[in-house]
Amino acid sequence: MELYPVNRPFPTSAPLADLPAEALRDDILRHLIYTLGKDVPHATRYDWRMALSYAVRDRIVGPWFRSTRRTWAEGRKRVHYLSMEFLIGRILEDAVVNIGLDETVRGVMADLGQDYRALVEDEPDAALGNGGLGRLAACFMESMATLGCPAYGYGIRYEHGLFRQRFEAGFQVETPEDWLSQAHPWEFARPEAAYVIPFKGEVETRDGRDHWVPGETVIASAFDTPVVGWQGKWANTLRLWGAKPTTQFDLDRFNRGDYAAAAEPEALARTLSRVLYPDDTTYQGKELRLKQEFFLTSAALQDILRRHLSAGHSLASLPAHVAIQMNDTHPAIAGPELIRLLMDDHGMVFAEALEITRACLGYTNHTLLPEALERWATFTFGNVLPRHMQIVERIDDWHRRTWPSRPHYVGIVKHHEVRMGELAFIMAHKVNGVSALHSDLVKANLFPELNRLHPGRIVNQTNGVTPRRWLRMCNRPLAGLITETVGAGWEDHLDRLRGLEDHVGDAGFRAAFDAAKRQNKVALAEWLSSECEVKADPDAIFDVQVKRIHEYKRQLLNILQAVAHWKSIHDNPNAAWVPRLRIFGGKAAPGYAVAKEIIHLINDVGSVINADPATRDLLQIAYPANYNVSMAERLIPAADLSEQISTAGKEASGTGNMKFMMNGAPTIGTLDGANVEILQEVGADNFFLFGLTAGEVVKRREDPDHARKAIEASQPLQDVLQMIAEGRFSPDQPDRYHGLVHRIWHHDYFLVAADFDAYHAAQGQVDHAYADRDRWLKMAALNTARSGLFSSDRTIRGYMDEIWSVEPAI
Ligand code: 26V
């Protein structure tokens, strides 16, 4: 067979949307029959989904190859986004929307007698992440593809993504997630792209040079998923590594009947890519986690160097061709690892290796919470990565000598620990925070001394989300209205949503906006009735708080105020109450007992309130289990109110807040993270602001009695705490929440009590505003109209200009 010549254009350059329906139909049937080996009468929903996925995938391969060829031919600089998490969700519908085949696919599937929606929902979420940080990585991949930014995402192909959540008597129970138990149609295994990853052992000095003699090795083997951008103009690669053993299966042992021992090396190696760590609350010094981080990082760097050298470039020119972004400190071993590869494998001297490495690396910080900042005991670090321990000490030494004014308490290795934040900072040419407020706090509180020594290194890149998934795909009614109103093309020029502002004064437009929201609410109400037996009234305010369960995010504040709300209705049954549905969604880390107790309380309060005939039509609580990306895609378009109520100074940015805004849900929130910028864009009239500021929070904590004083000053809060302590919501175990109530009185670190009254009042303003239909619709529409800043395209342009120095290829 003739080889396909590299210089001939790849054969699918016709606009993808023009693809005739018959060709797609034929391809689906061809895949059903020849790829899946299924005859049409016997095909199941799974078979049809797979056949459709393969037919859609075929149409991404063209743009994918073209993008790779162009990057290569034009010698373009590439971005390499290293992340322990990619929270992708479903892929099929996103791909269909991005290549413009939405209508064609619907028609063809209907023709084939298949329910397209059901096929879409048959796909399991790729849940290779915990929350915001992982979802951001997925949005960034999509935006880089949309902008034509040549890029690779590097991560781990976890066999088990984030656990599944169930409630048993209101308590969270975790079960393993199993997304790879079915074939995964979006990936291409690349067994030829494999690297040896060393661990442990000794460092020997021979001929005046250091040699690492590892004690263990595993193989990292690549699996590639194409990520296609808007309108299929560009596609990049998400390369996930799976672990394989270097030592072969032990046939001798097997033949002797020792089956378990024969399979041992295999089992051991595979643990490396077996499970995603589900705890993003507290750092734990687990050796397996360190090994996973090094596994990802070393495989990625070996791959990057191989590609760079095979293009005929010199190592000295690495920074001209390669930008590497560290998503939090999880891949911060990239600094010492790249130095090691350059020195030990390529004979470079330390000073040059250090310079090259620093010019390539950028570091994004995603949290200020001290308990989440990674630190490794030098014992563990030196044991797992003995050569890196030497290099880290050398880096620290170089830094101290080069900046002699560095205070003694600053450094990478301190108190027998390796601090990954300091390591990432020192090894990166740029460090960024994820919202304006957060970046200021990174400068002032997290790295004040390093910021003084390296002024200008810390920059801000406020997060964003992809409007293709989070508006165009998940909210067809609103997306359709937007296109009708401002014309086509807003999806990759989100500033054009501003055009909606001219129409908010038009009653016809407001009615259409209302109808779109209502359609989503009706659909959600139907889903909720089957999912968690809540009877939702589409005329109620849909008030939504979805995110990981953390004390600082204060789901507790929300549920306490729900109790106050319930009591107020009882006390004042004839007031003009606006019906409300309070929706919660989110998982707690399996070991985070306090978060699990909050989940239990929400469910207990929900059971009692939902069953109260006196308030049933005015207040309901829904907590559907197993919140994930797909559930977010149902909830967010149907939300009227976005709950963003963290203790100020604690939420680095938030990205859910941006998704709600885009979908026309005003925020009730504190001045925290990107809420600050949302408020700035949308204006104070269209945002329910309450609570202490970050500065006031710090001051308030200086008073050891702040909680008691706040409670004593608030009758509603006293009543709520009294009811919970008495067991009103846990009649089977009246003292269940004694501990929780005691902690609010005496150890209220996240200032739930101090902000309670302000929150309660702000919720009253929400009721008031919602009752005025025109006012509310105007607010909601202005939220959408002014959300353009929060496209992740804007964020990625910022990274390209300020951090990566990469030019878009389209
Ligand atoms: C930390 C750890 C600690 C070690 C064990 C595993 C693990 C996994 C994840 C994390 C990261 C927590 C940081 C995080 O997710 N930050 C969130 O990042 C979002 C994107 O920038 C931002 O919007 C959220 O405000 C921030 O909480």
Side-chain angles (χ1 to χ4, degrees), residues 84-85 130-134 136 276-284 289 293 327-328 330 364-367 369 371-374 434 463 550 552-553 650-658 673:
M84 286 289 280
E85 306 191 7
N130 274 287
L133 164 146
L136 185 76
L276 166 78
Y277 267 74
D279 192 344
D280 62 357
T281 2
T282 42
Y283 157 78
Q284 286 181 316
R289 171 81 188 177
E293 293 179 351
N327 197 22
D328 217 293
H330 315 154
T364 305
N365 174 280
H366 295 269
T367 184
L369 297 181
E371 60 273 28
L373 297 178
E374 290 187 296
V434 291
N463 283 167
H550 280 247
Y552 84 79
K553 294 179 190 278
K650 293 293 176 191
E651 188 70 272
S653 160
T655 45
N657 48 2
M658 302 168 184

Short mmCIF file of all heavy atoms in Angstrom, two decimals, residues 84-85 130-134 136 276-284 289 293 327-328 330 364-367 369 371-374 434 463 550 552-553 650-658 673, ligand 1:
data_model
loop_
_atom_site.label_atom_id
_atom_site.label_comp_id
_atom_site.label_asym_id
_atom_site.label_seq_id
_atom_site.Cartn_x
_atom_site.Cartn_y
_atom_site.Cartn_z
N MET A 84 -2.44 16.44 37.31
CA MET A 84 -2.83 15.15 37.89
C MET A 84 -4.32 14.90 37.69
O MET A 84 -4.81 13.80 37.96
CB MET A 84 -2.52 15.11 39.38
CG MET A 84 -1.04 14.97 39.69
SD MET A 84 -0.41 13.33 39.30
CE MET A 84 -0.95 12.42 40.75
N GLU A 85 -5.06 15.92 37.23
CA GLU A 85 -6.51 15.76 37.07
C GLU A 85 -6.99 16.39 35.77
O GLU A 85 -6.58 17.50 35.41
CB GLU A 85 -7.23 16.44 38.26
CG GLU A 85 -6.76 15.95 39.62
CD GLU A 85 -7.62 16.40 40.78
OE1 GLU A 85 -8.69 16.99 40.55
OE2 GLU A 85 -7.21 16.14 41.93
N ASN A 130 -11.09 15.85 40.84
CA ASN A 130 -11.88 16.05 42.06
C ASN A 130 -12.91 17.16 41.93
O ASN A 130 -14.03 17.04 42.41
CB ASN A 130 -10.95 16.42 43.21
CG ASN A 130 -10.39 15.19 43.89
OD1 ASN A 130 -11.11 14.50 44.61
ND2 ASN A 130 -9.12 14.89 43.65
N GLY A 131 -12.50 18.27 41.33
CA GLY A 131 -13.38 19.43 41.32
C GLY A 131 -12.80 20.51 40.42
O GLY A 131 -12.38 20.23 39.29
N GLY A 132 -12.73 21.73 40.96
CA GLY A 132 -12.38 22.90 40.15
C GLY A 132 -11.08 22.80 39.37
O GLY A 132 -11.04 23.14 38.19
N LEU A 133 -10.05 22.31 40.03
CA LEU A 133 -8.74 22.27 39.37
C LEU A 133 -8.74 21.33 38.16
O LEU A 133 -8.19 21.65 37.10
CB LEU A 133 -7.69 21.87 40.40
CG LEU A 133 -6.32 21.40 40.00
CD1 LEU A 133 -5.31 21.85 41.03
CD2 LEU A 133 -6.27 19.89 39.89
N GLY A 134 -9.41 20.20 38.30
CA GLY A 134 -9.47 19.24 37.21
C GLY A 134 -10.40 19.69 36.09
O GLY A 134 -10.12 19.50 34.91
N LEU A 136 -11.04 22.80 35.37
CA LEU A 136 -10.34 23.91 34.70
C LEU A 136 -9.41 23.36 33.62
O LEU A 136 -9.33 23.90 32.52
CB LEU A 136 -9.56 24.74 35.71
CG LEU A 136 -8.91 25.99 35.13
CD1 LEU A 136 -9.95 27.08 34.90
CD2 LEU A 136 -7.81 26.52 36.06
N LEU A 276 -7.57 7.61 41.30
CA LEU A 276 -7.43 9.04 41.56
C LEU A 276 -7.51 9.27 43.08
O LEU A 276 -8.41 8.73 43.73
CB LEU A 276 -8.60 9.77 40.88
CG LEU A 276 -8.84 11.21 41.29
CD1 LEU A 276 -7.84 12.12 40.59
CD2 LEU A 276 -10.26 11.64 40.94
N TYR A 277 -6.61 10.06 43.62
CA TYR A 277 -6.74 10.44 45.04
C TYR A 277 -7.97 11.32 45.20
O TYR A 277 -8.09 12.35 44.54
CB TYR A 277 -5.49 11.17 45.52
CG TYR A 277 -4.51 10.21 46.14
CD1 TYR A 277 -3.76 9.36 45.35
CD2 TYR A 277 -4.38 10.11 47.52
CE1 TYR A 277 -2.88 8.45 45.91
CE2 TYR A 277 -3.50 9.21 48.09
CZ TYR A 277 -2.75 8.38 47.29
OH TYR A 277 -1.90 7.49 47.84
N PRO A 278 -8.90 10.91 46.07
CA PRO A 278 -10.17 11.64 46.15
C PRO A 278 -10.16 12.77 47.16
O PRO A 278 -11.17 13.40 47.38
CB PRO A 278 -11.14 10.55 46.59
CG PRO A 278 -10.30 9.64 47.44
CD PRO A 278 -8.90 9.70 46.89
N ASP A 279 -9.03 13.02 47.78
CA ASP A 279 -9.01 14.02 48.85
C ASP A 279 -8.32 15.28 48.39
O ASP A 279 -7.11 15.31 48.22
CB ASP A 279 -8.29 13.45 50.07
CG ASP A 279 -8.52 14.31 51.29
OD1 ASP A 279 -8.96 15.46 51.12
OD2 ASP A 279 -8.26 13.84 52.40
N ASP A 280 -9.10 16.33 48.17
CA ASP A 280 -8.46 17.59 47.79
C ASP A 280 -8.53 18.61 48.93
O ASP A 280 -8.42 19.79 48.73
CB ASP A 280 -9.06 18.17 46.50
CG ASP A 280 -10.54 18.51 46.65
OD1 ASP A 280 -11.10 18.24 47.72
OD2 ASP A 280 -11.11 19.03 45.69
N THR A 281 -8.74 18.10 50.13
CA THR A 281 -8.88 18.99 51.29
C THR A 281 -7.59 19.05 52.09
O THR A 281 -7.16 20.10 52.51
CB THR A 281 -9.93 18.44 52.28
OG1 THR A 281 -10.42 17.22 51.78
CG2 THR A 281 -10.98 19.44 52.54
N THR A 282 -7.03 17.88 52.32
CA THR A 282 -5.87 17.85 53.19
C THR A 282 -4.75 17.11 52.49
O THR A 282 -4.96 16.09 51.85
CB THR A 282 -6.17 17.11 54.49
OG1 THR A 282 -6.93 15.96 54.17
CG2 THR A 282 -6.91 17.98 55.47
N TYR A 283 -3.57 17.66 52.63
CA TYR A 283 -2.40 17.01 52.10
C TYR A 283 -2.06 15.82 53.00
O TYR A 283 -2.10 15.91 54.22
CB TYR A 283 -1.25 18.01 52.08
CG TYR A 283 0.06 17.31 52.07
CD1 TYR A 283 0.53 16.75 50.89
CD2 TYR A 283 0.77 17.14 53.24
CE1 TYR A 283 1.70 16.05 50.89
CE2 TYR A 283 1.95 16.44 53.25
CZ TYR A 283 2.40 15.89 52.08
OH TYR A 283 3.55 15.18 52.07
N GLN A 284 -1.77 14.69 52.38
CA GLN A 284 -1.33 13.53 53.16
C GLN A 284 -0.02 13.03 52.59
O GLN A 284 0.10 12.90 51.38
CB GLN A 284 -2.35 12.40 53.07
CG GLN A 284 -3.61 12.62 53.87
CD GLN A 284 -4.54 11.44 53.73
OE1 GLN A 284 -4.73 10.92 52.63
NE2 GLN A 284 -5.10 11.00 54.85
N ARG A 289 1.13 8.52 46.39
CA ARG A 289 0.80 9.80 45.74
C ARG A 289 2.07 10.42 45.13
O ARG A 289 2.05 10.89 43.99
CB ARG A 289 0.17 10.73 46.77
CG ARG A 289 -0.03 12.16 46.34
CD ARG A 289 -1.27 12.36 45.50
NE ARG A 289 -1.29 13.73 44.97
CZ ARG A 289 -2.22 14.20 44.15
NH1 ARG A 289 -3.21 13.42 43.76
NH2 ARG A 289 -2.17 15.43 43.72
N GLU A 293 2.78 11.24 41.18
CA GLU A 293 3.17 12.56 40.68
C GLU A 293 4.44 12.46 39.84
O GLU A 293 4.56 13.09 38.78
CB GLU A 293 3.36 13.53 41.85
CG GLU A 293 2.04 13.83 42.57
CD GLU A 293 2.16 14.78 43.75
OE1 GLU A 293 3.30 15.12 44.17
OE2 GLU A 293 1.12 15.20 44.28
N ASN A 327 0.08 22.41 36.81
CA ASN A 327 -1.24 22.68 37.38
C ASN A 327 -1.18 22.37 38.87
O ASN A 327 -1.31 21.22 39.28
CB ASN A 327 -2.30 21.83 36.68
CG ASN A 327 -3.72 22.35 36.92
OD1 ASN A 327 -3.91 23.53 37.24
ND2 ASN A 327 -4.71 21.48 36.77
N ASP A 328 -0.96 23.39 39.65
CA ASP A 328 -0.68 23.29 41.09
C ASP A 328 0.70 22.65 41.30
O ASP A 328 1.45 22.47 40.35
CB ASP A 328 -1.79 22.54 41.83
CG ASP A 328 -2.04 23.16 43.20
OD1 ASP A 328 -1.13 23.08 44.07
OD2 ASP A 328 -3.10 23.73 43.41
N HIS A 330 1.31 19.64 42.15
CA HIS A 330 1.32 18.17 41.97
C HIS A 330 2.40 17.70 41.00
O HIS A 330 3.04 16.68 41.26
CB HIS A 330 -0.07 17.66 41.58
CG HIS A 330 -1.18 18.26 42.42
ND1 HIS A 330 -2.47 18.39 41.96
CD2 HIS A 330 -1.18 18.80 43.67
CE1 HIS A 330 -3.21 18.99 42.89
NE2 HIS A 330 -2.45 19.24 43.93
N THR A 364 0.97 27.33 38.36
CA THR A 364 -0.30 27.91 38.76
C THR A 364 -0.65 27.45 40.16
O THR A 364 -0.66 26.25 40.44
CB THR A 364 -1.44 27.47 37.81
OG1 THR A 364 -1.08 27.79 36.47
CG2 THR A 364 -2.75 28.17 38.16
N ASN A 365 -0.91 28.41 41.04
CA ASN A 365 -1.36 28.08 42.40
C ASN A 365 -2.89 28.11 42.44
O ASN A 365 -3.50 29.04 41.93
CB ASN A 365 -0.77 29.08 43.40
CG ASN A 365 -1.33 28.84 44.78
OD1 ASN A 365 -2.44 29.26 45.12
ND2 ASN A 365 -0.57 28.15 45.61
N HIS A 366 -3.49 27.09 43.06
CA HIS A 366 -4.95 27.01 43.12
C HIS A 366 -5.52 27.03 44.52
O HIS A 366 -6.72 26.86 44.70
CB HIS A 366 -5.47 25.73 42.45
CG HIS A 366 -5.21 25.65 40.99
ND1 HIS A 366 -6.11 26.12 40.06
CD2 HIS A 366 -4.17 25.17 40.31
CE1 HIS A 366 -5.62 25.90 38.84
NE2 HIS A 366 -4.44 25.33 38.97
N THR A 367 -4.68 27.15 45.52
CA THR A 367 -5.24 27.18 46.87
C THR A 367 -4.28 27.84 47.85
O THR A 367 -3.07 27.74 47.70
CB THR A 367 -5.60 25.76 47.36
OG1 THR A 367 -6.23 25.86 48.64
CG2 THR A 367 -4.39 24.86 47.50
N LEU A 369 -5.15 27.32 51.18
CA LEU A 369 -5.41 26.55 52.40
C LEU A 369 -4.13 25.84 52.83
O LEU A 369 -3.60 25.01 52.09
CB LEU A 369 -6.49 25.49 52.16
CG LEU A 369 -7.90 25.97 51.79
CD1 LEU A 369 -8.83 24.78 51.63
CD2 LEU A 369 -8.44 26.93 52.84
N GLU A 371 -3.54 23.48 54.78
CA GLU A 371 -3.60 22.01 54.87
C GLU A 371 -3.55 21.32 53.51
O GLU A 371 -3.37 20.11 53.44
CB GLU A 371 -4.83 21.57 55.67
CG GLU A 371 -6.19 21.99 55.12
CD GLU A 371 -6.64 23.38 55.61
OE1 GLU A 371 -5.78 24.23 55.90
OE2 GLU A 371 -7.87 23.60 55.65
N ALA A 372 -3.71 22.10 52.42
CA ALA A 372 -3.66 21.49 51.09
C ALA A 372 -2.30 21.71 50.41
O ALA A 372 -2.09 21.24 49.30
CB ALA A 372 -4.78 22.03 50.21
N LEU A 373 -1.38 22.43 51.06
CA LEU A 373 -0.09 22.72 50.43
C LEU A 373 0.85 21.52 50.61
O LEU A 373 1.13 21.09 51.73
CB LEU A 373 0.53 23.98 51.04
CG LEU A 373 -0.28 25.26 50.82
CD1 LEU A 373 0.38 26.44 51.51
CD2 LEU A 373 -0.47 25.55 49.33
N GLU A 374 1.35 21.03 49.49
CA GLU A 374 2.14 19.80 49.55
C GLU A 374 3.53 20.02 50.16
O GLU A 374 4.26 20.94 49.79
CB GLU A 374 2.31 19.24 48.13
CG GLU A 374 1.04 18.68 47.55
CD GLU A 374 1.32 17.98 46.24
OE1 GLU A 374 1.75 18.66 45.30
OE2 GLU A 374 1.12 16.75 46.17
N VAL A 434 -5.35 32.56 40.32
CA VAL A 434 -6.46 32.24 39.43
C VAL A 434 -7.63 33.22 39.51
O VAL A 434 -8.66 33.00 38.90
CB VAL A 434 -6.93 30.78 39.65
CG1 VAL A 434 -5.88 29.81 39.14
CG2 VAL A 434 -7.25 30.51 41.11
N ASN A 463 -9.49 32.72 36.10
CA ASN A 463 -10.05 31.52 35.47
C ASN A 463 -11.17 31.86 34.49
O ASN A 463 -11.72 32.96 34.50
CB ASN A 463 -10.64 30.59 36.54
CG ASN A 463 -9.57 29.80 37.30
OD1 ASN A 463 -9.84 29.21 38.33
ND2 ASN A 463 -8.36 29.79 36.79
N HIS A 550 -16.95 21.35 51.54
CA HIS A 550 -15.80 21.81 52.34
C HIS A 550 -16.35 22.75 53.40
O HIS A 550 -17.30 23.48 53.12
CB HIS A 550 -14.85 22.66 51.49
CG HIS A 550 -13.91 21.91 50.62
ND1 HIS A 550 -12.56 21.92 50.83
CD2 HIS A 550 -14.11 21.14 49.54
CE1 HIS A 550 -11.97 21.20 49.88
NE2 HIS A 550 -12.89 20.71 49.09
N TYR A 552 -15.01 25.51 54.26
CA TYR A 552 -14.85 26.91 53.84
C TYR A 552 -15.89 27.33 52.80
O TYR A 552 -16.19 28.50 52.65
CB TYR A 552 -13.42 27.19 53.35
CG TYR A 552 -13.13 26.83 51.91
CD1 TYR A 552 -13.53 27.66 50.87
CD2 TYR A 552 -12.43 25.67 51.58
CE1 TYR A 552 -13.26 27.34 49.55
CE2 TYR A 552 -12.17 25.34 50.27
CZ TYR A 552 -12.59 26.18 49.25
OH TYR A 552 -12.32 25.84 47.96
N LYS A 553 -16.45 26.35 52.08
CA LYS A 553 -17.48 26.69 51.08
C LYS A 553 -18.84 26.93 51.75
O LYS A 553 -19.77 27.43 51.14
CB LYS A 553 -17.57 25.59 50.03
CG LYS A 553 -16.30 25.46 49.17
CD LYS A 553 -16.43 24.33 48.16
CE LYS A 553 -15.13 24.00 47.45
NZ LYS A 553 -14.86 24.91 46.32
N LYS A 650 -10.88 32.52 51.08
CA LYS A 650 -10.60 31.08 51.04
C LYS A 650 -10.81 30.44 49.67
O LYS A 650 -10.16 29.46 49.35
CB LYS A 650 -11.49 30.35 52.07
CG LYS A 650 -11.15 30.68 53.51
CD LYS A 650 -9.78 30.14 53.87
CE LYS A 650 -9.40 30.53 55.29
NZ LYS A 650 -7.98 30.24 55.58
N GLU A 651 -11.74 30.94 48.88
CA GLU A 651 -12.00 30.34 47.57
C GLU A 651 -11.10 31.01 46.56
O GLU A 651 -11.25 32.20 46.28
CB GLU A 651 -13.48 30.53 47.19
CG GLU A 651 -13.91 29.78 45.94
CD GLU A 651 -13.97 28.26 46.15
OE1 GLU A 651 -12.93 27.60 45.96
OE2 GLU A 651 -15.05 27.77 46.52
N ALA A 652 -10.15 30.26 45.99
CA ALA A 652 -9.17 30.89 45.12
C ALA A 652 -9.85 31.62 43.97
O ALA A 652 -9.52 32.78 43.67
CB ALA A 652 -8.20 29.84 44.59
N SER A 653 -10.78 30.96 43.31
CA SER A 653 -11.49 31.62 42.23
C SER A 653 -12.95 31.18 42.22
O SER A 653 -13.87 31.97 42.32
CB SER A 653 -10.84 31.28 40.88
OG SER A 653 -11.74 31.49 39.80
N GLY A 654 -13.15 29.86 42.08
CA GLY A 654 -14.47 29.35 41.74
C GLY A 654 -14.58 29.41 40.22
O GLY A 654 -14.03 30.31 39.57
N THR A 655 -15.23 28.41 39.64
CA THR A 655 -15.52 28.43 38.21
C THR A 655 -17.00 28.13 38.00
O THR A 655 -17.58 28.56 37.01
CB THR A 655 -14.66 27.42 37.44
OG1 THR A 655 -14.65 26.19 38.17
CG2 THR A 655 -13.25 27.92 37.29
N GLY A 656 -17.62 27.43 38.97
CA GLY A 656 -19.06 27.22 38.93
C GLY A 656 -19.77 28.58 38.90
O GLY A 656 -20.74 28.78 38.15
N ASN A 657 -19.27 29.53 39.69
CA ASN A 657 -19.87 30.87 39.73
C ASN A 657 -19.99 31.47 38.33
O ASN A 657 -20.99 32.10 37.98
CB ASN A 657 -19.07 31.78 40.69
CG ASN A 657 -17.56 31.73 40.48
OD1 ASN A 657 -17.08 31.03 39.58
ND2 ASN A 657 -16.81 32.44 41.31
N MET A 658 -18.98 31.22 37.48
CA MET A 658 -18.99 31.76 36.11
C MET A 658 -20.03 31.03 35.24
O MET A 658 -20.70 31.64 34.41
CB MET A 658 -17.61 31.59 35.48
CG MET A 658 -16.50 32.27 36.29
SD MET A 658 -14.87 31.77 35.74
CE MET A 658 -13.86 32.65 36.97
N GLY A 673 -12.69 35.22 45.76
CA GLY A 673 -12.31 34.64 44.48
C GLY A 673 -12.79 35.49 43.32
O GLY A 673 -12.76 36.73 43.36
C1 26V B 1 -5.06 19.15 46.39
C2 26V B 1 -4.70 17.89 46.74
C3 26V B 1 -3.83 17.71 47.91
C4 26V B 1 -3.09 16.40 47.84
C5 26V B 1 -4.03 15.26 47.56
C6 26V B 1 -4.80 15.42 46.28
C7 26V B 1 -5.17 16.82 45.98
C8 26V B 1 -5.98 17.04 44.89
C9 26V B 1 -6.33 18.31 44.55
C10 26V B 1 -5.88 19.37 45.30
C11 26V B 1 -6.17 20.72 44.80
C12 26V B 1 -7.07 21.53 45.56
C13 26V B 1 -7.03 22.85 44.91
C14 26V B 1 -8.21 23.15 44.05
O1 26V B 1 -8.91 22.34 43.50
N1 26V B 1 -8.42 24.43 43.94
C15 26V B 1 -9.54 24.99 43.19
O2 26V B 1 -9.06 25.38 41.92
C16 26V B 1 -10.07 25.96 41.12
C17 26V B 1 -9.47 26.23 39.77
O3 26V B 1 -8.48 27.20 39.86
C18 26V B 1 -10.60 27.20 41.78
O4 26V B 1 -11.65 27.73 41.00
C19 26V B 1 -11.11 26.90 43.18
O5 26V B 1 -11.46 28.10 43.84
C20 26V B 1 -10.05 26.19 43.98
O6 26V B 1 -10.57 25.74 45.22
#
